[in-house]
Amino acid sequence: MLKVWGRRSSFNVQKVMWLVGELELVHEHIDAGGKFGGLDAPAFLAMNPHGRVPVIADGDATVWESHAILRYLAARHGAGPFWSDDPVARARVDGWMIGRKPRCSRISWSACSGDSIEPPKTNETGKRSAHRWRASSGILKNWIDCSRAGPFCWERR
Ligand SMILES: N[C@@H](CCC(=O)N[C@@H](CS)C(=O)NCC(=O)O)C(=O)O
C-alpha cells in the first residue's frame, strides 16, 4: 500500500495529499516532521537523506521531493487527466507547478499565517497578500477555463 510521510501542516505534504485524494489512492498517512519529529531517524534518512517531508513509499519505490512525488504519482497512477505522453502538455503542467509555486506559496503563507497571527484583512501585510492571492488565483482560473483542464478543477465540482 502507498505510504505518505509528512505533517498535515506542511504545504509540500498537502500538495501530495491533494493528488493522492484526486487519484483516490488507498494509502497510509504517517505524521512526521515538526512536532512529530522523526526526520533524523536512520530509517527515515535512509528514505530521504535530506531529512525532509514529504516522502512516499509505493511498493519498492521510495520517492522524496514534493514535485518529484507529484510527477511520479501522476505518471504511475494518473494517466489521462494528470499525465500525458505529450511533452508539450507535460511542459504546460510543469510550468504551473514549478514556475508559480514559489510565488503562490509565499503569498498564501503570508496571507494565512506567516507574517502575522491576525486574520488577513486586519493588517496591511495581510491585505496586500490577500490582494496578490486573488490576482494570482484569477490568472489560474482564466487559464483553467480557457484550457478546459479537466475534472480536478474546483470550478467544475
Ligand atoms: N523542496 C522540498 C522541501 C521539503 C521541506 O523543506 N519540507 C519541510 C516541510 S514543508 C520539512 O520537512 N521541514 C522539517 C519539518 O517539518 O520538521 C519539497 O518540495 O519536498
Side-chain angles (χ1 to χ4, degrees), residues 101-150:
K101 188 251 176 184
R103 180 167 172 77
C104 290
S105 308
R106 239 190 345 265
I107 293 169
S108 59
W109 179 250
S110 175
C112 299
S113 58
D115 293 343
S116 169
I117 54 169
E118 296 170 277
K121 289 187 178 160
T122 62
N123 66 78
E124 283 310 310
T125 305
K127 277 185 204 166
R128 270 198 308 276
S129 296
H131 176 73
R132 286 197 299 258
W133 175 252
R134 273 194 298 276
S136 217
S137 301
I139 295 170
L140 175 60
K141 181 180 178 309
N142 281 343
W143 179 77
I144 289 172
D145 285 347
C146 291
S147 65
R148 301 173 189 277

Side-chain angles (χ1 to χ4, degrees), residues 71 82-99 143:
R71 286 197 187 93
F82 293 100
W83 188 258
S84 170
D85 288 333
D86 174 10
V88 177
R90 281 214 308 275
R92 289 210 180 97
V93 175
D94 279 347
W96 280 101
M97 182 168 75
I98 300 165
W143 179 77

